[in-house]
Amino acid sequence: MSALSEARSVLLPGATLGVMGGGQLGRMFVHAAQSLGYFTAVLDADPVSPAGLVAQYHVQTGYQDEQGLAQLMQRCQAITTEFENVPAGALRTLGAQRPVAPSGDAVAVCQDRALEKAHFVRCGVPCAPHALIEDEAGLAAIDAAALLPGILKTARLGYDGKGQVRVRSADELAAAWRDLGGVACVLERMLPLALELSVVVARNAHGEVVTLPVQQNLHRDGILAVTQVPAPDATPAQSAQAVACAARIAAELGYVGVLCVEFFVLADGTLVANEMAPRPHNSGHWSIDGADISQFELQVRTLTGLPLIAPRQHSPSVMLNLLGDLWFDAAGQLREPDWAGVLALPGVHLHLYGKTDARVGRKMGHLTVTAATAEQAREVALQVCARLGLAAC
Ligand code: ATP
Ligand code: MG
């Protein structure tokens, strides 16, 4: 964070902003930056990455390529990340010479479930009972009564439910840990979830914090399927607690940038933090169409030092993820989803990420339905689901 906290003259439109990673989050960051008049550069090895396709400059190298990092620094006045598994060391290298937000140190905490949970505990934010398993001794020491049935999650590199196994007994746990390659894992107790929430928080170098409204998320097969804002089932007290916890988690990290914290509300109404992502989040995509400042504009503002204004939600929103599954009919034949049909419905905002090959489970795009009331947004979202053949939300 050094270069960021020291300097801080504001980087005004006309400057060039860099992003590590070329996925859809980078693409939407690029769109937001460009619409504010910034130039953009993306570092990603993929020649047809979603963000690389739309940025002014595309550095086509791996994240640790010294020449690539040098080229990015040469082009850019400040750099952010869109992918939490960008090696923290690469962000530290960049951070020594350019403002980088979030910092390599903050991203390193989010990259490791054990460090992440320790951070929640340090902040006094409740999380699931858990234990770290790094070796056979750690496996043998598990308190089965406290942690089983549970979910075994790799400490690093998991996403969209990958690297996770549900286990009921000590034998299943041992088999699952070995199947995961005996890598460092966190075993969490399986909790009775009533609902899932998330909060996007933006914090700048002066410690100012703004948040988006609390989001309610529905997952299918470990992948986010639907986000509704306002959150229909969260109580005001749960929402207030989630916002306060997210702000504390960001502040205690000395975080600069956009951070998303995922929460569970348990059957008894208690709130626990699940995990955090050091970047905009799929559950915040609705803010492009439903709020006057999107999570990607917040990322631009925190990176450049532009004023950090509290976003205002102007429309109730329902966001539906569009996975590659939609590109296949019942017989497994490729087809194009009925875009004309869904775009004929009021308040539908379609976002496709420019990915050419559809695969089952791959995030190809999303759409947000905005309306004057939450009921109307939900009503149209159900019509979208019917037209696309999506499970009803
Ligand atoms: P992503 O990065 O896409 O959010 P991930 O692979 O990091 O996902 P998690 O968020 O840890 O995975 O878990 C995915 C989903 O699995 C959660 O949103 C929740 O539905 C369920 N889940 C995870 N941990 C628990 C738990 N301890 N008890 C009950 N359900 C859980
Ligand atoms: Mg998650």
Side-chain angles (χ1 to χ4, degrees):
M1 240 207 18
S2 54
L4 193 68
S5 48
E6 283 159 18
R8 283 334 280 210
S9 50
V10 175
L11 284 174
L12 293 171
T16 302
L17 306 179
V19 55
M20 292 287 277
Q24 62 266 17
L25 300 174
R27 179 181 175 99
M28 290 181 270
F29 168 80
V30 164
H31 285 152
Q34 289 175 335
S35 102
L36 284 166
Y38 291 94
F39 295 90
T40 54
V42 166
L43 186 144
D44 192 301
D46 179 357
V48 291
S49 72
L53 289 174
V54 296
Q56 277 93 350
Y57 309 107
H58 182 182
V59 180
Q60 272 177 46
T61 68
Y63 299 126
Q64 313 220 58
D65 184 294
E66 280 176 28
Q67 284 186 355
L69 294 176
Q71 266 182 51
L72 189 70
M73 284 192 276
Q74 206 177 20
R75 286 268 185 227
C76 300
Q77 279 82 62
I79 299 161
T80 186
T81 183
E82 64 106 39
F83 176 55
E84 70 225 56
N85 291 320
V86 167
L91 296 175
R92 292 189 186 106
T93 301
L94 297 169
Q97 299 195 38
R98 291 282 180 279
V100 169
S103 70
D105 291 350
V107 171
V109 174
C110 303
Q111 284 175 343
D112 186 314
R113 282 189 198 278
L115 297 179
E116 183 175 68
K117 288 216 165 21
H119 182 68
F120 294 157
V121 171
R122 204 164 34 241
C123 293
V125 171
C127 58
H130 62 278
L132 177 62
I133 300 175
E134 289 180 290
D135 49 26
E136 293 285 347
L139 183 64
I142 287 299
D143 178 353
L147 297 179
L148 294 175
I151 306 189
L152 185 67
K153 303 179 178 181
T154 57
R156 303 178 67 84
L157 300 174
Y159 69 100
D160 287 348
K162 294 185 175 65
Q164 300 197 3
V165 189
R166 297 183 177 217
V167 289
R168 284 163 300 184
S169 64
D171 285 348
E172 281 185 15
L173 170 64
W177 181 66
R178 286 176 197 127
D179 276 357
L180 288 172
V183 296
C185 286
V186 170
L187 174 66
E188 279 179 37
R189 184 173 182 83
M190 178 77 81
L191 299 173
L193 308 192
L195 53 127
E196 299 196 47
L197 305 175
S198 59
V199 175
V200 170
V201 44
R203 187 174 181 275
N204 69 12
H206 304 298
E208 294 164 336
V209 167
V210 299
T211 54
L212 286 171
V214 172
Q215 303 153 168
Q216 182 167 327
N217 304 321
L218 175 73
H219 292 81
R220 291 200 184 102
D221 301 326
I223 307 178
L224 182 67
V226 183
T227 296
Q228 296 181 80
V229 191
D233 302 314
T235 65
Q238 288 160 349
S239 294
Q241 193 191 347
V243 168
C245 288
R248 203 176 325 140
I249 286 165
E252 289 289 320
L253 266 181
Y255 195 87
V256 178
V258 169
L259 176 83
C260 181
V261 185
E262 296 178 17
F263 295 93
F264 299 143
V265 174
L266 307 188
D268 67 1
T270 45
L271 185 83
V272 304
N274 171 31
E275 59 169 359
M276 58 182 169
R279 49 168 175 76
H281 193 260
N282 197 164
S283 61
H285 289 355
W286 68 274
S287 60
I288 299 173
D289 303 298
D292 61 357
I293 301 181
S294 74
Q295 60 171 350
F296 301 101
E297 184 174 332
L298 291 173
Q299 190 179 14
V300 174
R301 286 175 180 249
T302 52
L303 181 63
T304 57
L306 282 175
L308 195 55
I309 303 291
R312 183 181 64 85
Q313 181 175 12
H314 52 69
S315 303
S317 302
V318 178
M319 190 281 310
L320 303 173
N321 255 350
L322 304 173
L323 302 182
D325 313 44
L326 290 182
W327 274 252
F328 296 93
D329 66 17
Q333 295 299 310
L334 262 177
R335 63 161 185 206
E336 196 64 17
D338 179 14
W339 302 133
V342 296
L343 289 170
L345 296 168
V348 170
H349 310 273
L350 177 64
H351 299 262
L352 294 173
Y353 305 147
K355 298 181 183 180
T356 42
D357 50 330
R359 290 194 298 273
V360 170
R362 188 176 196 205
K363 290 177 179 169
M364 302 295 287
H366 72 270
L367 67 77
T368 300
V369 182
T370 57
T373 66
E375 294 66 34
Q376 283 166 8
R378 221 186 123 62
E379 174 60 33
V380 174
L382 286 172
Q383 292 176 43
V384 170
C385 291
R387 289 195 188 185
L388 290 180
L390 269 174
C393 45

